[in-house]
């Protein structure tokens, strides 16, 4: 019932927005399905559950609303929006409701009507059947009723006409609670993605630029520096009930290859109360996608000084709130596998 009310509210908001919107933006509604297989990273998923059966399949259903600027080649055909949905899997885990923000763009245009695209989603999944010490103690997949939701899709877009697109590709879904509560082995699925998108007011001159053909900035505007301060907290084990605080910073110079794509190093410092040795310092290599309102960042590096001495990885969404200021919502892992902590903070960008 809650999901139905949310979907109805979203649809009413879309209709209201489109009623007063000018022709600067394209307004789009999309429905998609991602049926696929569950990655078997846990004994519970492999059959050690009350049903005694493998949890091997899951389907993600999503409804989205997005905006795209018309005829602006500097934005690489990018779109941003919001969405809701449901993740349907075995009754042992529940049917969580999804709410998220999203961004996407063409990676490369193959013709006037066909392109290879990506899309990222970041939000929450709520309504899981989570771990309980007495009644569901084998479920180390889901540690809390509310978990993060991360989606990443790569797909071919077929432009059927002025108003309709058909999208066919592949999608990945991850849900965990970033060690805010234990256990936290997480839930992961991969599968085919099929969607239909309707555009309310798309013109023929809509931008067909891609990540690789976006506007090249003049030499004086290619470097920028991001300074971020963040905090977070985490649990370490089921046995230890204590919560540990995490705080840190990053300084990241980035070189913009074009208006959509940037690369650069990052100097990172973190204080993790669960690890001795005070501050730890590391260096990362990062890549960043720059879209209207959002910037998506991913990095791989290594802590070399301090209590942490390991490889670490970060995924982050930077949400612009002013010309130079942004909110930072990030996720840190270590050794390519283990979730460490959320990174919630603010940042300032020097340069353009």
């Amino acid at each position: 019932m809650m999901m139905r009310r949310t979907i109805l509210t979203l649809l009413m908001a879309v209709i209201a927005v489109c009623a007063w919107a000018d022709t600067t933006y394209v307004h789009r509604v999309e429905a998609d399905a991602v049926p696929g297989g569950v990655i078997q990273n846990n004994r519970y998923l492999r059959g050690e559950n009350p049903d005694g059966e493998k949890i091997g399949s899951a389907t993600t259903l999503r409804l989205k609303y997005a905006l795209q600027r018309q005829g602006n080649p500097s934005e690489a055909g990018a779109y941003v929006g919001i969405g809701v949905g449901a993740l349907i899997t075995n009754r042992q885990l529940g049917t969580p409701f999804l709410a998220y923000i999203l961004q996407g763009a063409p990676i490369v245009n193959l013709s006037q009507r066909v392109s290879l695209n990506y899309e990222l989603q970041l939000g929450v999944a709520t309504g899981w059947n989570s771990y309980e010490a007495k009644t569901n103690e084998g479920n180390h997949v889901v540690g809390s009723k509310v978990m993060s939701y991360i989606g990443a899709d790569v797909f071919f877009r077929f432009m059927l006409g002025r108003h309709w697109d058909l999208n066919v590709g592949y999608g990945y879904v991850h849900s965990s609670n970033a060690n805010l509560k234990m256990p936290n082995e997480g839930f992961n699925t991969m599968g085919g993605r099929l969607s239909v998108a309707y555009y309310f007011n798309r013109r023929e001159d809509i931008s067909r630029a891609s990540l690789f053909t976006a506007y090249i900035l003049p030499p004086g505007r290619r470097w920028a520096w991001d300074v971020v301060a963040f905090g977070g907290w985490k649990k370490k084990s089921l046995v230890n009930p204590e919560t540990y605080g995490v705080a840190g910073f990053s300084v990241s110079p980035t070189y913009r290859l074009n208006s959509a794509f940037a690369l650069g190093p990052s100097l990172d410092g973190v204080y993790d109360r669960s690890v001795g040795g005070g501050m730890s310092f590391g260096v990362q290599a990062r890549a960043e996608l720059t879209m209207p309102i959002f910037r998506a960042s991913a990095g791989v590096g290594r802590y070399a000084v301090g209590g942490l001495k390991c490889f670490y990885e970060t995924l982050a969404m930077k949400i612009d709130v002013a010309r130079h200021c942004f909110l930072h919502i990030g996720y840190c892992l270590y050794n390519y596998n283990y979730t460490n902590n959320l990174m919630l903070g603010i940042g300032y960008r020097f340069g353009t």
Side-chain angles (χ1 to χ4, degrees):
M1 183 63 70
M2 175 184 175
M3 186 172 71
R4 291 177 182 175
R5 289 198 298 267
T6 303
I7 291 174
L8 181 59
T9 302
L10 179 63
L11 288 174
M12 293 175 64
V14 170
I15 293 170
V17 168
C18 292
W20 60 258
D22 60 28
T23 57
T24 303
Y25 292 94
V26 181
H27 298 261
R28 183 184 78 172
V29 174
E30 181 179 12
D32 74 20
V34 184
V38 176
I39 297 175
Q40 303 293 299
N41 63 322
N42 183 278
R43 291 180 299 175
Y44 192 85
L45 298 174
R46 293 192 291 267
E48 294 187 20
N49 55 62
D51 286 344
E53 297 178 355
K54 176 181 175 181
I55 302 175
S57 63
T59 298
T60 306
L61 302 176
R62 300 180 295 210
L63 180 66
K64 310 169 188 176
Y65 166 68
L67 286 171
Q68 178 181 347
R69 190 186 296 272
Q70 303 222 51
N72 188 342
S74 69
E75 293 183 351
Y79 60 87
V80 296
I82 58 175
V84 294
L87 203 165
I88 302 170
T89 185
N90 187 280
R91 66 184 181 87
Q92 297 293 333
L93 299 177
T95 304
F97 168 78
L98 312 174
Y100 50 89
I101 57 177
L102 61 93
Q103 65 154 246
I107 300 171
V108 60
N109 288 307
L110 305 176
S111 72
Q112 282 291 99
R113 293 185 174 273
V114 180
S115 63
L116 178 65
N117 287 38
Y118 83 90
E119 183 178 289
L120 303 174
Q121 306 106 28
L122 176 65
V124 296
T126 179
W128 292 96
N129 292 337
S130 60
Y131 169 90
E132 296 290 344
K134 293 183 179 180
T135 61
N136 199 11
E137 62 182 0
N139 180 9
H140 285 196
V141 179
V142 180
S144 56
K145 293 185 180 298
V146 179
M147 303 214 294
S148 67
Y149 164 76
I150 298 173
D153 304 336
V154 178
F155 58 92
F156 291 99
R157 184 197 68 170
F158 300 91
M159 187 176 176
L160 303 180
R162 180 182 174 187
H163 294 290
W164 292 97
D165 281 353
L166 174 67
N167 304 302
V168 180
Y170 209 71
Y172 168 75
V173 168
H174 168 77
S175 190
S176 68
N177 62 40
N179 283 357
L180 299 179
K181 193 172 181 180
M182 297 301 289
N184 184 45
E185 296 194 14
F187 187 75
N188 303 274
T189 72
M190 299 181 72
R193 178 192 194 271
L194 178 66
S195 73
V196 176
Y198 179 81
Y199 296 78
F200 286 85
N201 58 331
R202 181 163 63 181
R203 300 198 310 255
E204 290 299 323
D205 65 344
I206 189 170
S207 173
R208 290 185 171 84
S210 68
L211 295 184
F212 292 102
T213 62
Y215 174 67
I216 303 297
L217 297 168
R221 297 180 56 200
R222 294 184 184 177
W223 281 99
W225 290 71
D226 281 4
V227 178
V228 175
F230 65 86
W233 63 98
K234 68 178 186 178
K235 298 278 190 178
K236 287 200 69 174
S237 72
L238 286 169
V239 177
N240 184 356
E242 188 173 1
T243 299
Y244 297 92
V246 179
F249 71 89
S250 69
V251 180
S252 310
T254 56
Y255 180 78
R256 301 184 68 180
L257 302 177
N258 58 27
S259 61
F261 193 64
L263 297 170
S266 176
L267 172 64
D268 303 313
V270 63
Y271 171 75
D272 186 337
R273 200 170 66 83
S274 68
V275 179
M279 290 287 293
S280 299
F281 298 92
V283 177
Q284 268 196 334
R286 286 189 181 171
E288 184 173 283
L289 292 171
T290 300
M291 298 294 143
I293 305 175
F294 304 120
R295 284 177 284 138
S297 173
V300 177
R302 182 174 175 83
Y303 289 116
V305 178
L308 290 169
K309 289 185 174 62
C310 61
F311 289 99
Y312 67 104
E313 304 78 50
T314 58
L315 299 171
M317 192 77 81
K318 301 174 181 179
I319 306 171
D320 295 330
V321 294
R323 181 180 178 185
H324 294 286
C325 297
F326 56 89
L327 300 177
H328 180 278
I329 304 173
Y331 203 53
C332 180
L333 302 92
Y334 62 94
N335 288 337
Y336 304 101
N337 189 21
Y338 302 105
T339 303
N340 198 18
N341 60 272
L342 282 174
M343 304 161 65
L344 306 176
I346 57 174
Y348 190 87
R349 167 159 281 200
F350 297 88
T352 56

